[in-house]
Amino acid sequence: MAKHATPLLDQLETGPWPSFVSDIKREAESRAKNEKGVEFQVPADACEDILGVLELSFKHGRTHWKHGGIVGVFGYGGGVIGRYCDQPEMFPGVAHFHTLRVNQPGGKFYNTEYLRQLCDLWEFRGSGITNMHGSTGDIIFLGTSTPQLEEIFFELTHTHNQDLGGSGSNLRTPSDCIGQARCEYACYDTQALCFAMTNEYQDELHRPAFPYKFKFKFDGCPNCCVASIARADMSFIGTWRDEIRIDQQAVKAYIGQELKPNAGAHAGRDWGPFDIEKEVIGLCPTKCMWMEGGKLMIDNKECVRCMHCINVMPRALRIGNDRGLSILVGAKAPILDGAQMGSLLVPFMKAEDPYDEIKEIIEKIWDWWMEEGKNRERLGELIKRQGFQKLLEVTELEPDPRMVKEPRSNPYIFWKEEEVEGGWQRDVNEFRKYHQR
Amino acid sequence: MAFVSSGYDPKQPMKDRITDIGPRNYEEFYPPVIKENKGKWLYHEILEPGVLVHVSETGDEVYTVRVGGARLMSVSHIREICEIADKYCGGYVRWTTRNNVEFMVDSKDKVEPLKKDLLSRKQPGGCFKFPIGGTGAGVTNIIHTQGWIHCHTPATDASGPVKATMDVLFEEFTHMRLPAQLRVSLACCLNMCGAVHCSDIAILGYHRKPPMLDHEYLDKMCEIPLAIAACPTAAIKPSKVTLPDGKEVKSVAVNQERCMFCGNCYTMCPAMPLADDVGDGIVLMAGGKVSNRITSPKFSKVVVAFLPNEAPRWPQTTSTIKKIVDAYAKGANKYERLGEWAERIGWERFFERCDLPFTHHLIDDFRDPAYYTWRQTTKFKF
């Protein structure tokens, strides 16, 4: 018999898609039975109370969670989000229900031994409910009490060799795409770079010293599977600067309908026979491809590496050999001053261990942002407020037409005094010798 | 429920303390076929919805079966995933950026038994535990935020509308018959933890009533300057208020016409709640993308200004989404993303094809970018 009646939530237990309600009920049941004799450190009926409080929200159309107050583990300013229920008498099992962010492994690969260790820990010291994964990428442990925080952290670090992720005004847990681990499009080792930067900047990740949050995301190619260009203050997107490698035999096989276009992604509908002119050459954004004597030709100098032709014919076309990454800066969601997409700052940089060039750019940007950024001002907003020129100045990068879509259409140029011959100090009396008042 | 110590001594927090060790090294968790072929992959193919093969220059192959799932996941469910991974995948498994789970095997003959097992596992109400799909030109899992399960500022739930929407779009998850991939995302307030603003379809929770002011408690519960500074439109100013009992207290005043309902003040000051059963609901946005393929990444645009919160299944939201997806499926060219289709036919035509009303709320009036969204040409369609 369930602790709380949940007639509204129960309606989410049908239909084909996995039901989170059924899953929480399963966990509630498992805790009630407690076949393994776990000495639960948060109330055994926490999952019943989660369902109860959620049912109440479904009824009221409003949340019943309060913002957290300051909770955390000693010496860290992030990784724990405080959370309290606003109906603690009705739902004592979730009266204190804090979140821990656990820094996920690169590519979100796991072995089951490790996953089970995390499950055991979270069943013992928390609600048993997780997010796999949070929006930024962390493993999210959803719901524990204040006294458990240090205990969980102690076990994570001592037994599981595992640290917390970021929250608050600090470096948020960096995340990466699957990259070279299982993708032929990856132009650099996203997992290696993500891991290196996460470890290099542990202090920034755990101890908030920034004006606001700061995100790194690592995409292996311009398909941008981790959406870095939309949501990372610094996005690292793989690219190349030489020629797309062509296998003309495979091109013929695509034309001859022997290979499925787009790696079979459109197989569920009859789109007619594959037409290379219409589907590849005609859709190329710079029209830099053509057929000549039965061969596919590419004017690589004009290619902007949008990935379309490679996506359509992965067995015929491959990324170039001279690979690296582009760095874009300033992406963010709408709060506070409207959404921003990342803007191109570094067109090309090699991504090779120990990544000194990359670190240099990161640190120059941080120095500027920490000095000039206002409270809760994201990097993108600072760039807008002080100008792209200022960004170039602090990063000591040379202006490059690749950084803009088009040059400015107003002539309101803020010339600097040192740029103007003779400077700005002039003698008005000398001027008046030739120009009457 | 006796307290069990981990070994941590609260009197000596620094004793044997381990910090700043970061995540586990990814290399520990690569299945052997991944470890041996990293950086050597030649090409991939989607063999059927939810099943991929990647072929290495060494001749090795890895077969991946992708399954959807709720992001909200119990440890019992994760243990079941482990059991499957042990049985078929040598004890390895991974998650995708969009909350799918991927089971990988190193030969083709291992795929069918794995698939059969995955599809046989159902929840008590008949829902699949591990629906296979989410690849290619279809709908994949909805990335989303916490909603009413755990957040303090949501304007809608997350897991509820996601479950309801995926039930409605399920056929598109298990098929690859759309013109291109269609990414649906949900954020339960405009702070957008989920960064949904570049999705083909974004479901966004939105408040529509300015904060209430709990004057008697405001100065006790909040740092007033922080609440004032939190407002992106500078709508909050300090004020002195006389309570019914004649006592004068420090509080704030809100210029309600300037409020854009973001809830940042509430984050700073719990005495300024803004949640409301009628005021809160859902905004639908459409036409965004993050890929650089053919056209540049795009923001999603607001196409429905408000739909009410209708727990438990949000029928108006899901039917409107279905309408948009159907119109797109019917009208777009092969490879064309939803936003590319809308731009090709023109947004005026988009509203016609999707049978959506166009209201004044959809015309941008927020700061500079607004002007660039108005039409500065005589070219339009009747």
Side-chain angles (χ1 to χ4, degrees), chain A residues 87-366:
Chain A
Q87 293 294 336
E89 293 84 12
M90 282 168 84
F91 307 107
V94 297
H96 301 220
F97 208 62
H98 311 318
T99 299
L100 282 111
R101 293 186 180 165
V102 178
N103 196 333
Q104 82 289 357
K108 300 191 177 79
F109 282 94
Y110 294 93
N111 64 30
T112 53
E113 184 196 356
Y114 174 65
L115 274 177
R116 285 200 176 92
Q117 288 168 356
L118 291 182
C119 289
D120 290 349
L121 173 64
W122 193 236
E123 179 178 51
F124 174 41
R125 296 196 179 275
S127 70
I129 301 297
T130 77
N131 288 150
M132 295 294 280
H133 297 76
S135 297
T136 298
D138 300 273
I139 303 160
I140 306 285
F141 283 170
L142 218 57
T144 193
S145 62
T146 309
Q148 290 303 313
L149 298 172
E150 287 289 357
E151 308 296 328
I152 294 164
F153 182 67
F154 191 91
E155 287 199 28
L156 280 175
T157 50
H158 285 74
T159 313
H160 306 300
N161 187 27
Q162 171 68 58
D163 210 332
L164 296 180
S167 66
S169 292
N170 61 11
L171 174 63
R172 297 301 181 86
T173 312
S175 71
D176 50 18
C177 70
I178 191 166
Q180 293 177 341
R182 202 199 60 200
C183 181
E184 67 271 27
Y185 302 154
C187 299
Y188 70 96
D189 189 344
T190 51
Q191 271 131 58
L193 181 57
C194 183
F195 187 71
M197 292 305 107
T198 307
N199 282 305
E200 176 79 17
Y201 298 116
Q202 281 288 296
D203 192 31
E204 286 76 5
L205 199 155
H206 297 303
R207 295 170 194 88
F210 288 156
Y212 202 13
K213 63 181 91 165
F214 195 95
K215 298 185 180 186
F216 287 148
K217 293 197 189 295
F218 302 91
D219 269 312
C221 83
N223 282 331
C224 282
C225 289
V226 290
S228 66
I229 199 165
R231 57 197 189 127
D233 299 87
M234 281 184 89
S235 42
F236 300 86
I237 304 176
T239 195
W240 66 93
R241 55 182 174 182
D242 57 346
E243 291 88 47
I244 292 175
R245 290 171 287 168
I246 309 180
D247 175 347
Q248 297 291 355
Q249 283 308 109
V251 173
K252 282 203 180 73
Y254 278 107
I255 296 171
Q257 318 294 321
E258 292 156 44
L259 294 174
K260 286 192 258 178
N262 217 38
H266 287 80
R269 178 151 143 192
D270 182 10
W271 291 95
F274 174 66
D275 178 348
I276 194 169
E277 286 290 346
K278 192 171 146 215
E279 297 183 34
V280 179
I281 295 171
L283 290 178
C284 170
T286 62
K287 306 284 177 275
C288 68
M289 314 176 87
W290 69 98
M291 294 298 294
E292 199 173 297
K295 285 187 171 171
L296 177 67
M297 311 299 283
I298 302 177
D299 182 357
N300 279 282
K301 203 164 181 298
E302 298 307 309
C303 171
V304 291
R305 303 164 313 286
C306 84
M307 296 297 292
H308 176 65
C309 59
I310 297 178
N311 286 331
V312 176
M313 305 196 295
R315 292 179 72 161
L317 302 177
R318 301 181 69 197
I319 56 171
N321 282 318
D322 184 10
R323 297 170 215 148
L325 50 79
S326 301
I327 303 177
L328 289 85
V329 292
K332 56 181 279 294
I335 285 295
L336 304 172
D337 202 22
Q340 287 184 42
M341 208 73 84
S343 299
L344 182 68
L345 177 66
V346 178
F348 187 87
M349 191 173 262
K350 284 281 181 187
E352 284 159 4
D353 190 45
Y355 311 112
D356 286 335
E357 260 192 310
I358 291 173
K359 287 183 214 162
E360 203 181 310
I361 295 271
I362 292 170
E363 286 165 25
K364 283 175 180 168
I365 286 177
W366 280 350

Side-chain angles (χ1 to χ4, degrees), chain B residues 194-234:
Chain B
V196 301
H197 57 291
C198 297
S199 308
D200 294 282
I201 294 180
I203 307 166
L204 176 67
Y206 209 87
H207 302 287
R208 294 185 304 167
K209 296 191 183 184
M212 294 172 277
L213 303 172
D214 212 349
H215 289 304
E216 191 182 342
Y217 296 92
L218 201 137
D219 191 32
K220 294 175 202 157
M221 292 170 79
C222 322
E223 296 281 350
I224 288 178
L226 288 181
I228 291 168
C231 181
T233 62

Side-chain angles (χ1 to χ4, degrees), chain A residues 332-340 381 384, chain B residues 190-192 206 230-235 255-262 264 285 299 302 360-374:
Chain A
K332 56 181 279 294
I335 285 295
L336 304 172
D337 202 22
Q340 287 184 42
E381 288 155 337
K384 268 172 89 172
Chain B
L190 88 170
N191 288 297
M192 288 196 196
Y206 209 87
C231 181
T233 62
N255 180 344
Q256 300 197 329
E257 276 159 28
R258 287 176 83 161
C259 179
M260 62 171 186
F261 320 105
C262 67
N264 271 296
M285 302 173 76
F299 292 124
V302 178
H360 76 86
H361 312 97
L362 308 182
I363 301 171
D364 196 350
D365 57 359
F366 190 75
R367 298 185 186 170
D368 244 10
Y371 166 82
Y372 298 98
T373 66
W374 307 335

